[in-house]
Amino acid sequence: MKSISKFFVLSFLAFLFVGCEKDNITNSYIDENPERLDKVAADLRKTLASAENGWVMMVKTDLNSEVYTPIVLKFDTATNKVDVKTVYGETADTDSYFRIANGTGSPQLTFTTGSIMSSLYRIGARGSDITDHIYNLVSVSTDTVAIRGYRSGRIYAPEGGVIYKLFRRPANWKWADGVNYFDMNSTVFKTNIESVASTVRFEYANNPNKNRTINSVFTNVPAANVQTMRNGFIFAISRNIGAGGFKNPDYINFRFPYLTTTQDAAPVHGNNALSFLPQAAGYTSNVTNMNNFINTFNLHYLICTNVTRAGNNVKIDFEAYDQKGNPIIKAFYDNQR
């Protein structure tokens, strides 16, 4: 019996020794072979540059459970500039930058302050589940770059945020090319659209029972209200110190039925999208109407994917995406009811 006990004690000590030795070897390998991280960082830089149309990062908001917000990132590794397109408004002309540096155990991808990425970090869950502007690289392959927020929340929060699996931007996502073909500031585009009675058909990929067609119309937001609403824009510099990723927003009224009445939600339009993200303050009734729209249709943005004109008839196709960038909700506008 004593021999058996002695055997287990020695085995346990040997296990501890091997475990500690393994840790020592691992830590020593990292410390003594910095070229390993250099190579991974170089692979990351090369892969980011290889996507001609950019990479897509799908982020989640606290506004609904199924619709994810696309962020398109196009990296210029020669200048360290990053072009960012999202659905929340018209991207500013100011330059945004990124850098790749060796962290502890993995390279880090960092977005500089003043970019849309740092703006989203400051806004919080209403705009996305991004919790840092610094990301640890999790993995990199030809078609996927996995990154994880360094922190899980604000300063002093524990490490380890959401893991995002960036994928190459689909070629048919023309809305992110930088050319506005859905432009409610254009007199030509607004012809036969503005103040014209229309229908909008909503189709839900995961729940066809929710499909419905509504009577709607796009109308001007009164000029007297625009500046007040701009002051309440959630990404305004005055509300988000250091952020300058968006231009001053423009708005258009989108009429929809709500209970026994009709309401006008005034989404921001830019980058070929309508953003129904409720503003933190500003024109109070619009905050209420935007929340009512989101709760009614379970979406907080609509991206225009196609505009078709035949004489006076105008048809516009919209989409919203799931976590993998697949259309989960489609909407079809037709000005001939």
Side-chain angles (χ1 to χ4, degrees):
M1 186 72 178
K2 182 182 290 186
S3 297
I4 295 174
S5 298
K6 184 176 181 180
F7 170 78
F8 280 116
V9 170
L10 291 174
S11 298
F12 179 70
L13 290 174
F15 171 79
L16 288 179
F17 176 78
V18 171
C20 293
E21 184 66 21
K22 181 179 180 181
D23 286 343
N24 288 336
I25 291 173
T26 302
N27 294 334
S28 175
Y29 180 79
I30 291 175
D31 294 337
E32 296 175 8
N33 296 273
E35 68 278 2
R36 170 184 172 272
L37 287 183
D38 291 339
K39 182 181 182 304
V40 177
D43 288 343
L44 172 61
R45 179 175 291 274
K46 181 179 179 181
T47 301
L48 292 178
S50 69
E52 180 180 354
N53 294 320
W55 295 87
V56 179
M57 180 178 182
M58 302 300 294
V59 301
K60 190 177 185 300
T61 76
D62 63 2
L63 297 171
N64 54 61
S65 60
E66 294 184 324
V67 175
Y68 281 69
T69 304
I71 300 174
V72 177
L73 304 161
K74 191 172 182 179
F75 297 90
D76 183 340
T77 55
T79 62
N80 285 335
K81 292 181 181 179
V82 56
D83 177 74
V84 185
K85 293 288 189 299
T86 186
V87 301
Y88 292 141
E90 189 68 25
T91 306
D93 295 328
T94 53
D95 293 329
S96 296
Y97 294 88
F98 73 97
R99 64 184 176 89
I100 298 172
N102 289 342
T104 303
S106 72
Q108 290 182 329
L109 175 63
T110 301
F111 296 94
T112 57
T113 56
S115 69
I116 289 176
M117 296 301 290
S118 60
S119 297
L120 288 167
Y121 161 53
R122 290 183 176 91
I123 293 301
R126 182 50 43 111
S128 74
D129 51 1
I130 291 175
T131 52
D132 207 337
H133 66 287
I134 302 172
Y135 298 86
N136 288 328
L137 177 66
V138 176
S139 64
V140 57
S141 65
T142 302
D143 296 316
T144 305
V145 175
I147 57 176
R148 185 179 190 182
Y150 182 70
R151 287 186 294 260
S152 62
R154 298 293 184 178
I155 296 176
Y156 306 122
E159 293 186 8
V162 175
I163 295 178
Y164 299 100
K165 294 183 178 180
L166 280 63
F167 55 87
R168 292 176 182 268
R169 197 206 87 178
N172 64 346
W173 280 21
K174 301 298 183 182
W175 62 267
D177 282 341
V179 177
N180 281 332
Y181 50 81
F182 181 89
D183 185 3
M184 294 301 292
N185 289 318
S186 166
T187 301
V188 174
F189 179 81
K190 290 191 298 185
T191 301
N192 295 318
I193 296 177
E194 186 177 38
S195 300
V196 176
S198 60
T199 60
V200 180
R201 171 74 176 170
F202 291 89
E203 296 184 357
Y204 296 79
N206 292 344
N207 191 357
N209 291 330
K210 292 181 63 177
N211 293 356
R212 61 184 296 193
T213 300
I214 66 168
N215 293 324
S216 183
V217 63
F218 287 115
T219 59
N220 267 328
V221 174
N225 297 337
V226 171
Q227 189 55 53
T228 301
M229 294 170 68
R230 283 179 172 176
N231 291 339
F233 183 44
I234 195 170
F235 290 100
I237 293 177
S238 60
R239 298 184 173 279
N240 187 12
I241 297 173
F246 293 93
K247 295 180 180 178
N248 274 334
D250 290 306
Y251 302 85
I252 190 76
N253 282 327
F254 183 109
R255 187 159 298 165
F256 67 100
Y258 182 71
L259 300 179
T260 58
T261 64
T262 59
Q263 293 185 354
D264 286 326
V268 170
H269 66 84
N271 290 341
N272 302 305
L274 297 173
S275 169
F276 296 87
L277 183 71
Q279 300 183 144
Y283 199 57
T284 306
S285 64
N286 189 44
V287 178
T288 300
N289 293 356
M290 296 277 257
N291 280 312
N292 289 340
F293 181 92
I294 292 169
N295 292 333
T296 300
F297 299 103
N298 195 35
L299 57 86
H300 59 282
Y301 68 85
L302 284 170
I303 292 173
C304 175
T305 59
N306 189 54
V307 180
T308 303
R309 291 179 181 269
N312 293 330
N313 183 217
V314 183
K315 295 182 179 181
I316 307 175
D317 300 340
F318 296 95
E319 290 179 348
Y321 303 118
D322 64 12
Q323 188 175 14
K324 294 183 178 180
N326 299 314
I328 190 171
I329 299 175
K330 293 185 177 183
F332 303 95
Y333 168 96
D334 192 334
N335 73 339
Q336 292 186 359
R337 299 197 293 177

